[in-house]
Amino acid sequence: MAQGLEVALTDLQSSQNNVQHHTEEISVDRLVVRRGQAFSITLYFKNRGFQPGMDSIMFVAETGPLPDLAKGTRAVFSFTGSGGPSPWIASLEANRANSLEVSLCAPPIAAVGRYLLKIRIDSYQGFVTAYQLGEFILLFNPWCPADAVYLESEPQRQEYVVNDYGFIYQGSKSWIRPCPWNYGQFEENIIDICLELLEKSLNFQVDPSTDCALRGSPVYISRVVCAMINSNDDSGVLNGNWSENYVDGINPAEWTGSVAILKQWHATGCQPVRYGQCWVFAAVMCTVMRCLGIPTRVITNFDSGHDTDGNLIIDEYYDNTGRILENMKKDTVWNFHVWNECWMARKDLPPGYGGWQVLDATPQETSNGLYCCGPASVKAIKEGEIDLNYDTRFAFSMVNADCMSWLVYGGKEQKLHQDTATVGNFISTKSIQSDERDDITESYKYEEGSLQEREVFLKALEKLQATRSQGPHQANSNPFSSVPPRHNSARSPDSPSLQPSDVLQVSLKFELLDSPKMGQDINFVLLAVNMSPQFKDLKLNLSAQSLLHDGSPLVPFWQDTAFITLFPKEEKSYPCKILYSQYSQYLSTDKLIRISALGEEKNSPEKILVNKIITLTFPGIMINVLGAAFVNQPLTVQVVFSNPLSEPVEDCVLTLEGSGLFRKQQRVLIGVLKPHHKASITLKTVPFKSGQRQIQANLRSNRFKDIKGYKNVYVDIGL
């Protein structure tokens, strides 16, 4: 007598499939596959084997709370359905006595997310059985040529999808330092937290059915994730804080990885984690995007423009001492700013604008009502196509705006200088499969001083003026109507004189006499050169103030006045010293000091302004791995650190982490460190993943927050 075919057991072959889909680091016992690539499952039957003439099998794959065939969130397909309406494919691989091996493949445009796999079996004489075979997670596939995130280079795929650690560049263009970061996109539960993040978005909350249907688009996903990394509009991952007051949270400089942040967000019921700044937003977004399968890297732009009024000009205001006026600074030049690039096709744009796209999760300006930025094509930024989606105008201004300096005195504003080369320098990212820094400035802008660079800027300006009225300080005349091509001045690149010297025929420049170190006095000179055939009597007002990395100034802590008489063609230097006792109480976490001088000649209304940003350096943490590292074998790690100051520091805490090396972040309470005292600790861990790994460390105290260190470790699989 004929019987209905009954499923006894389903083997999703998670371990084998995950290896083939490059997801074995995420899990070996849960099925995590990539779209556009087949995976195998085995069906075991109770009573008999599959008989093709007698049994008909239909597979159903569903995602989201309201699966819909029309929207592509529900797929129904069978062995004979490859030419039917569903783009999902099922192939019979092997038919054995009581089992069936099946190959399934999601289309390369399928929505990513968590899926439920079902089966319906119609047998001879009307027997019908239905089963839930199990859940699986579907991700983007940069290994699949038909996927919109396809990346041809295997070394690039390894770096921008698989690598779970890296460096984020900070400091200033004159002192670029790598900050080690644990992305940890394959750590336990991170994939679930990333999917939870999508479900907490406003898009999902308002219309879950449509949101899930659109998750096949990397453009759409990237905008959703970008908005969810900050918490300005929703229950996003991070609260931003640039106030220097972090008593109710974590100083952004103390973080060394994304895993602790994402797990805290999840554990607290999706309450925003306090606090983040640009590099933290970008690092967490990198973790989420790599986890979802979109190639992503972290980018640092030194001297980054924040053009709030959208006129491609950064306006900076100074008083008669050369001090930046905070209360007038709406536009800013960030000492450095960090964002992401994600790799994807852009079928929504004209041909040629796919590839790397700028995504900036730091909440600066709104985009279609939400705090997100991008994706903006890097190629479009370079070519000045600022009208292309999304937020290309704002991204262009970050790397290529002009900088206008104004003197505010006696209730009036006097234009000091228009600098065409200040914004956008040493645009940096980690090199592929290397710890070196890769300078990618040329992918964002043509070379300074070239005709192409100026033509692109003017093209962007024309596009801007075609769509909006002129911004501040442009009402009476167009300041760009006779702007010469950009040029590289003979002046020091990190201490430009901001007033053209052809008026006063005087050049000013700051020069450091020694490397500025945290805890030591700062020695420098102001160099004045008279390039005219006449005598010059100069009055110079000097000042120093700490800066935050976003360009925001703190109160001045040092001032001086100098009177210099210069013979024709004479050069003089004025020595200056800022004592540690003068700046120690005013130093920001970023350890940035701006020194400024505003000069004027007797009986002349003309002014000349020069400034220089000093980054105070400090010794890093040294990490030694004692012996070879093997999976599941104890490993001893020695950490050596010191207090760089000539005074004791308190509340010292050392943190260590590293994906595949530590199950969770390690915190060691150190307490008090004596002046210039060097200390070391030894701890043990048991690596649980093989391959190239990295340990990241941070030392904080009541006087400094971010002394960093790292150590690369190769973990052998052992016997």
Side-chain angles (χ1 to χ4, degrees):
M1 186 174 114
Q3 293 178 300
L5 187 62
E6 299 179 39
V7 176
L9 180 68
T10 304
D11 180 5
L12 296 180
Q13 299 186 31
S14 300
S15 180
Q16 303 96 307
N17 284 321
N18 290 5
V19 169
Q20 294 174 2
H21 286 248
H22 310 278
T23 62
E24 71 276 14
E25 290 257 338
I26 297 176
S27 178
V28 293
D29 52 15
R30 298 169 62 192
L31 184 60
V32 184
V33 294
R34 301 186 185 275
R35 61 188 196 174
Q37 181 176 342
F39 61 96
S40 298
I41 66 172
T42 304
L43 304 175
Y44 293 94
F45 304 111
K46 288 181 180 179
N47 47 347
R48 61 178 175 84
F50 172 72
Q51 299 178 20
M54 180 183 296
D55 305 310
S56 172
I57 293 180
M58 192 73 69
F59 294 95
V60 179
E62 298 177 336
T63 187
L66 300 168
D68 189 325
L69 276 172
K71 290 187 174 183
T73 51
R74 185 172 192 263
V76 180
F77 55 105
S78 65
F79 296 132
T80 58
S82 58
S86 175
W88 289 66
I89 298 172
S91 303
L92 199 161
E93 296 294 306
N95 187 4
R96 301 184 179 91
N98 281 80
S99 68
L100 193 67
E101 186 164 333
V102 178
S103 172
L104 306 177
C105 186
I109 59 170
V112 301
R114 188 175 280 107
Y115 277 79
L116 180 62
L117 183 62
K118 302 177 181 179
I119 189 174
R120 173 189 164 116
I121 304 175
D122 290 274
S123 298
Y124 183 70
Q125 293 186 344
F127 286 102
V128 178
T129 52
Y131 303 91
Q132 290 189 4
L133 301 182
E135 288 189 351
F136 66 94
I137 293 174
L138 188 68
L139 302 177
F140 290 100
N141 192 353
W143 284 266
C144 174
D147 197 306
V149 302
Y150 173 64
L151 194 55
E152 186 176 5
S153 163
E154 178 61 19
Q156 287 188 328
R157 291 192 293 252
Q158 290 297 317
E159 182 65 52
Y160 302 133
V161 181
V162 177
N163 197 3
D164 59 7
Y165 67 87
F167 299 100
I168 303 170
Y169 295 96
Q170 300 179 356
S172 67
K173 64 184 176 186
S174 58
W175 188 66
I176 298 174
R177 72 172 183 125
C179 173
W181 196 271
N182 176 26
Y183 296 118
Q185 67 268 29
F186 303 134
E187 287 294 281
E188 187 178 11
N189 298 329
I190 293 299
I191 182 67
D192 300 295
I193 296 172
C194 292
L195 296 177
E196 181 181 26
L197 183 146
L198 297 180
E199 294 182 357
K200 291 296 181 181
S201 73
L202 290 179
N203 304 56
F204 183 86
Q205 299 297 319
V206 171
D207 188 350
S209 179
T210 300
D211 173 72
C212 289
L214 292 173
R215 289 184 187 175
S217 164
V219 174
Y220 177 80
I221 284 281
S222 66
R223 284 183 64 78
V224 170
V225 172
C226 191
M228 278 299 297
I229 297 300
N230 67 71
S231 59
N232 286 46
D233 309 295
D234 41 44
S235 56
V237 176
L238 282 158
N239 268 343
N241 187 342
W242 289 263
S243 71
E244 289 286 287
N245 180 9
Y246 310 111
V247 293
D248 57 346
I250 301 293
N251 186 317
E254 295 180 32
W255 297 112
T256 52
S258 306
V259 176
I261 295 171
L262 288 167
K263 288 190 173 182
Q264 180 179 326
W265 177 75
H266 167 74
T268 58
C270 304
Q271 293 298 308
V273 177
R274 301 172 179 173
Y275 289 102
Q277 290 183 9
C278 64
W279 67 93
V280 188
F281 290 111
V284 174
M285 181 157 183
C286 182
T287 296
V288 175
M289 298 301 273
R290 286 186 183 181
C291 185
L292 295 176
I294 298 178
T296 303
R297 59 188 186 180
V298 177
I299 309 296
T300 301
N301 177 37
F302 291 93
D303 299 328
S304 187
H306 181 186
D307 178 21
T308 58
D309 51 17
N311 63 351
L312 303 186
I313 302 176
I314 308 297
D315 295 299
E316 293 192 315
Y317 298 89
Y318 297 82
D319 67 10
N320 62 348
T321 70
R323 175 174 67 100
I324 296 179
L325 297 176
E326 164 66 11
N327 60 345
M328 299 188 70
K329 273 178 67 67
K330 296 179 181 177
D331 294 350
T332 52
V333 177
W334 293 35
N335 209 51
F336 68 88
H337 182 49
V338 184
W339 60 73
N340 298 103
E341 284 180 3
C342 298
W343 181 272
M344 65 189 72
R346 289 298 301 272
K347 295 181 181 178
D348 57 319
L349 300 182
Y353 292 102
W356 290 116
Q357 311 289 315
V358 168
L359 276 301
D360 189 350
T362 301
Q364 299 178 84
E365 306 292 329
T366 59
S367 174
N368 293 342
L370 295 177
Y371 277 95
C372 69
C373 178
S377 165
V378 173
K379 178 69 171 176
I381 294 168
K382 182 172 184 175
E383 300 299 334
E385 301 293 348
I386 63 171
D387 52 344
L388 296 182
N389 283 340
Y390 290 87
D391 311 303
T392 309
R393 193 276 309 156
F394 185 78
F396 180 91
S397 72
M398 292 196 293
V399 299
N400 223 6
D402 280 3
C403 192
M404 195 89 76
S405 301
W406 302 83
L407 174 66
V408 180
Y409 187 65
K412 296 181 180 179
E413 298 176 10
Q414 176 186 345
K415 178 180 173 182
L416 289 173
H417 181 53
Q418 180 174 321
D419 193 319
T420 61
T422 292
V423 171
N425 293 288
F426 298 102
I427 303 175
S428 303
T429 193
K430 178 185 177 296
S431 293
I432 299 169
Q433 297 183 328
S434 162
D435 287 351
E436 298 301 311
R437 181 181 68 89
D438 192 9
D439 191 309
I440 58 169
T441 307
E442 66 175 9
S443 67
Y444 279 86
K445 55 202 291 191
Y446 289 99
E447 184 180 359
E448 294 289 356
S450 69
L451 182 61
Q452 282 177 304
E453 194 280 335
R454 179 74 336 189
E455 288 175 345
V456 165
F457 184 85
L458 294 177
K459 181 214 289 189
L461 184 71
E462 289 170 3
K463 286 178 176 287
L464 178 67
Q465 292 176 335
T467 56
R468 61 182 298 166
S469 60
Q470 292 181 324
H473 312 298
Q474 298 186 52
N476 297 324
S477 63
N478 181 357
F480 302 98
S481 58
S482 58
V483 174
R486 298 187 180 197
H487 61 279
N488 290 321
S489 168
R491 297 184 295 258
S492 171
D494 61 348
S495 56
S497 170
L498 298 182
Q499 167 69 25
S501 58
D502 56 357
V503 178
L504 284 177
Q505 292 187 293
V506 171
S507 170
L508 297 178
K509 186 170 75 168
F510 285 115
E511 288 187 352
L512 290 168
L513 297 179
D514 44 40
S515 176
K517 292 183 173 60
M518 176 84 164
Q520 298 182 8
D521 300 340
I522 303 170
N523 296 290
F524 60 97
V525 296
L526 177 62
L527 192 66
V529 181
N530 180 9
M531 296 175 287
S532 77
Q534 286 86 34
F535 287 94
K536 296 286 184 180
D537 283 325
L538 297 180
K539 177 185 178 183
L540 299 164
N541 291 320
L542 298 93
S543 66
Q545 59 194 133
S546 287
L547 289 181
L548 305 182
H549 89 275
D550 67 354
S552 300
L554 304 181
V555 295
F557 55 78
W558 176 87
Q559 290 183 330
D560 192 11
T561 303
F563 296 90
I564 298 179
T565 299
L566 294 170
F567 287 94
K569 308 297 183 180
E570 185 183 13
E571 176 179 312
K572 281 186 178 179
S573 61
Y574 180 76
C576 303
K577 180 191 287 283
I578 302 176
L579 303 177
Y580 172 64
S581 60
Q582 291 177 296
Y583 73 76
S584 62
Q585 299 299 319
Y586 297 92
L587 200 59
S588 70
T589 301
D590 301 294
K591 295 173 285 296
L592 301 172
I593 294 175
R594 182 198 286 267
I595 51 176
S596 301
L598 185 70
E600 57 183 315
E601 186 183 7
K602 191 175 181 180
N603 302 321
S604 171
E606 301 298 334
K607 305 286 194 300
I608 179 170
L609 175 68
V610 63
N611 57 54
K612 181 180 183 69
I613 294 176
I614 298 170
T615 305
L616 297 174
T617 65
F618 48 87
I621 296 172
M622 181 181 296
I623 303 173
N624 300 312
V625 176
L626 307 181
F630 295 94
V631 173
N632 296 326
Q633 297 292 320
L635 179 68
T636 302
V637 178
Q638 180 192 49
V639 185
V640 182
F641 50 91
S642 61
N643 174 12
L645 305 181
S646 55
E647 58 186 303
V649 294
E650 301 174 349
D651 305 324
C652 296
V653 178
L654 180 71
T655 58
L656 291 98
E657 64 179 290
S659 289
L661 297 170
F662 299 97
R663 294 283 181 181
K664 63 179 182 178
Q665 188 183 70
Q666 306 294 302
R667 291 170 56 86
V668 182
L669 302 180
I670 306 297
V672 177
L673 275 178
K674 297 177 181 179
H676 300 296
H677 178 68
K678 179 180 285 189
S680 70
I681 66 162
T682 301
L683 66 159
K684 290 186 182 293
T685 187
V686 179
F688 55 95
K689 289 185 178 181
S690 63
Q692 192 67 43
R693 303 289 163 189
Q694 187 185 82
I695 301 172
Q696 300 89 15
N698 183 76
L699 178 66
R700 76 159 200 229
S701 75
N702 62 330
R703 300 307 303 273
F704 48 78
K705 303 299 179 185
D706 62 338
I707 292 184
K708 307 285 186 185
Y710 73 93
K711 180 71 172 181
N712 292 341
V713 182
Y714 185 82
V715 181
D716 202 323
I717 198 166
L719 298 178

